[in-house]
Amino acid sequence: MASQGDARPTLKTLAEITGLGISTVSQALRDSPAIAEETRRRVQLAAQQAGYRPNRAGVRLRTGRSNVITVILNAQDAGSGFFADFVYGVSSGLAGTAYHLVITPYDYHDQMAPVRYVVETASADGVIISRIMPNDPRVRYMAENGMPFATHGRTEMGICHPYHDYDNEAFAYEAVRQLAARGRRRIALVAPPPDLSYFHHTHAGFERALRDFNLEQFPLATYSTDTPLAEIEAAGRDAARHPHRPDGIVSAATSSAFAFAAGFKNAGLVIAQDFDVATKHSSPMIKIAMPEMIYVEEDFKAAGRDLAELLIKSINGQAAETLQHVVGPANGTAR
Amino acid sequence: MASQGDARPTLKTLAEITGLGISTVSQALRDSPAIAEETRRRVQLAAQQAGYRPNRAGVRLRTGRSNVITVILNAQDAGSGFFADFVYGVSSGLAGTAYHLVITPYDYHDQMAPVRYVVETASADGVIISRIMPNDPRVRYMAENGMPFATHGRTEMGICHPYHDYDNEAFAYEAVRQLAARGRRRIALVAPPPDLSYFHHTHAGFERALRDFNLEQFPLATYSTDTPLAEIEAAGRDAARHPHRPDGIVSAATSSAFAFAAGFKNAGLVIAQDFDVATKHSSPMIKIAMPEMIYVEEDFKAAGRDLAELLIKSINGQAAETLQHVVGPANGTAR
DNA sequence: AGTCGAATTTGAAACGTTGCAAAATCCAAA
DNA sequence: TTTGGATTTTGCAACGTTTCAAATTCGACT
């Protein structure tokens, strides 16, 4: 039982209430300069009293704009803190704007499908994607089809687009630097998946630091942050039993850092004594659970928020060249 | 540059291609029995070739149905693993259906606002909410306004509605049982926020177990799982220095369990030796990081998926009495 | 009083869909 | 052939909005 006036009010309702025409009402609500000041006030008051809310389907049908921003995320990420923080960040970046947030998860094996779907059905005014590759077919596709988008990571394909990226080169360098400062000499890197852009950045920073601090690299098989944790734990155990075992570990993902460290621990070694681990820090819980680790900051919430803002600016016509951020571990927003 | 036929195809386009009327095409695509078998095939083929996708705004405007399910979540939950797992679960429960997933985060202080918004704007066909209270105004409001919904938790207000709930009574009982099995005698409970339904369930199970196993309770100030972690850590340190300090801790949230345990550790005590902690387990990373804890399973992904399915059944007219699940720590789906 | 231009308001059309009543087609029986 | 009933197709209206050209009102100035 609705309290009064059963159906929800439309422009027609307001037109009847005020005795004006429908298009007058429509324009008055959108502050059109063609409408007399007094009329506008009258209409807006009536709208408020009637509890008028524009019908989004009507608007969308007429204007072709959906007022939706969609975040396309790998379902595999769901377990990680990244997913929650990132989504929250985007949603807070969208708060107060006309845009709603829609999550589009996709299955590991087909990353193009959700992008095609969104573009074909025009179900969003803008798209945010993650897990960016240097040559990313999603980026090419959206650019060619005129769908506004922003990426969480950089590409290397000569297409200029809005992005936000974490400076993983600086992260890896800083991680190694801190390990070196604790006297660690043989460092192992649990790298990101090799097809992703930040694999290269991470590697570059890692190697630059090895040179600068004159350290050895412990050559690890290509375990990536996508490998199942049990496998990484096993790799950690193996490495720990190696005659020239590493005494420092760098991992781009908290979960694999934990798993690798667990492997060391299960092999009888003690963290902060026999070895150290440096990884990224995002959730406060992690830090409180494992205070012995070395943490370098990465703020996924801020990344999500920034991407939302960049994307909206891009939709509003701002040039992509001015919508590219790289933020480092220490500083706020650079470049 | 789109490949061909620049604008995206509509029913009109298909009508022109096939030489049929628009409404014939519309019905053919929806398998109406009034349409001749051969016509239907012809239309569906044409639709496929043209890459036709129904315009959602058109459908929505005409039918009044949005094909959207929205999950209204406390922004504070964003940090926790709950958020990611739960959202992922809902999204997987929606996969393959006509429904899209929209996340509506809300600010701590006003839980009614997003619910009112969704109902007033009819922006979803169904709603999923969490952090349920025994007497929950959101439930009453949606029930009164005929908005289909499902809750993650039970209410006590005489309104029959679909829900999925974890059996926190059983959780707390099991947690204490395992502590008792390790010889722990003085148990402290870090309880959920006292206004939420599962506070009562948790307490009931906790107290039943204390009686059954003849244990003492360490009376903890009312720290809840919502308290800042630093504060819980401090509480843990205090409790650890108490002359009759607890030797067992039960927490309904992994993060507060970690924080409390960190407090004990910082007071010089050793987990699994001087004390034990039992909490819930959801993410594999947690378990690998802190294998010394006692974990009782709670599957947020499954909860999300189940809620999506319950809600859709409810929208399709199935009676709410048959859409109420309580799942325990051990078993699969019970009632 | 009449005219002109500016300020303000308005009706009609269109966006893409579905439901319905009406029209068209078909086939078998008379 | 005609009729009648069933089968199949179709045009129209409507959902709520915005845009745009046209209509109306208003003042000020001849």
Side-chain angles (χ1 to χ4, degrees), chain B residues 112-161:
Chain B
M112 273 302 287
V115 176
R116 258 195 299 264
Y117 176 82
V118 170
V119 169
E120 283 173 6
T121 62
S123 54
D125 295 339
V127 174
I128 294 174
I129 57 174
S130 189
R131 296 183 70 94
I132 305 302
M133 303 183 293
N135 190 331
D136 200 303
R138 298 168 297 173
V139 167
R140 184 175 309 286
Y141 180 78
M142 288 192 283
E144 281 175 356
N145 288 82
M147 170 61 80
F149 66 97
T151 63
H152 183 221
R154 281 163 281 176
T155 57
E156 311 276 350
M157 49 202 298
I159 293 178
C160 181
H161 60 86

Side-chain angles (χ1 to χ4, degrees), chain A residues 68-71 87 90-91 94 99-103, chain B residues 101-103 105:
Chain A
V68 160
I69 298 290
T70 192
V71 180
V87 167
V90 173
S91 109
L94 258 30
Y99 293 98
H100 284 215
L101 169 60
V102 172
I103 308 290
Chain B
L101 169 60
V102 173
I103 309 289

